[in-house]
Amino acid sequence: KRHEEALNNVRDFQLEDRIHLFYGNALELADEVRPAAPYDVIFIDAAKGQYKNFFHLYEPMLAPDGVIITDNVLFKGLVAEDYSKI
């Protein structure tokens, strides 16, 4: 449902020539994604345990000043807690 909504938003704003949406398992889509590289921004929202794999796979597809944005990388702040005081 979210993918369809994203597609509709891209169409509604006539940004098909600037925004590329891919749907599926990102670890299996690299060959489909690579031809449209380089990318200015790559957004990753996936299993946190796989983020390192995603980064290594997709970082070479970034433009020189590109960025990778990861969702919830701090896992609700739990990995940023100061556990030395517990």
Side-chain angles (χ1 to χ4, degrees):
K1 182 177 178 175
R2 286 184 246 161
H3 178 70
E4 284 297 320
E5 184 175 344
L7 286 171
N8 290 334
N9 287 334
V10 170
R11 281 189 216 117
D12 289 348
F13 287 96
Q14 300 174 353
L15 294 171
E16 297 94 339
D17 62 326
R18 297 180 60 198
I19 298 175
H20 303 276
L21 299 174
F22 299 93
Y23 180 77
N25 182 333
L27 292 176
E28 298 171 0
L29 290 176
D31 290 338
E32 183 180 339
V33 171
R34 192 172 288 107
Y39 293 97
D40 297 319
V41 176
I42 295 175
F43 178 76
I44 299 172
D45 183 7
K48 307 315 170 239
Q50 294 293 328
Y51 273 16
K52 187 174 181 180
N53 294 330
F54 290 120
F55 184 86
H56 288 297
L57 184 61
Y58 286 95
E59 186 270 337
M61 298 182 205
L62 282 176
D65 291 330
V67 295
I68 293 178
I69 299 169
T70 55
D71 182 56
N72 297 332
V73 73
L74 295 180
F75 192 65
K76 300 178 183 179
L78 296 176
V79 297
E81 295 275 335
D82 183 359
Y83 289 103
S84 66
K85 297 179 183 179
I86 295 178

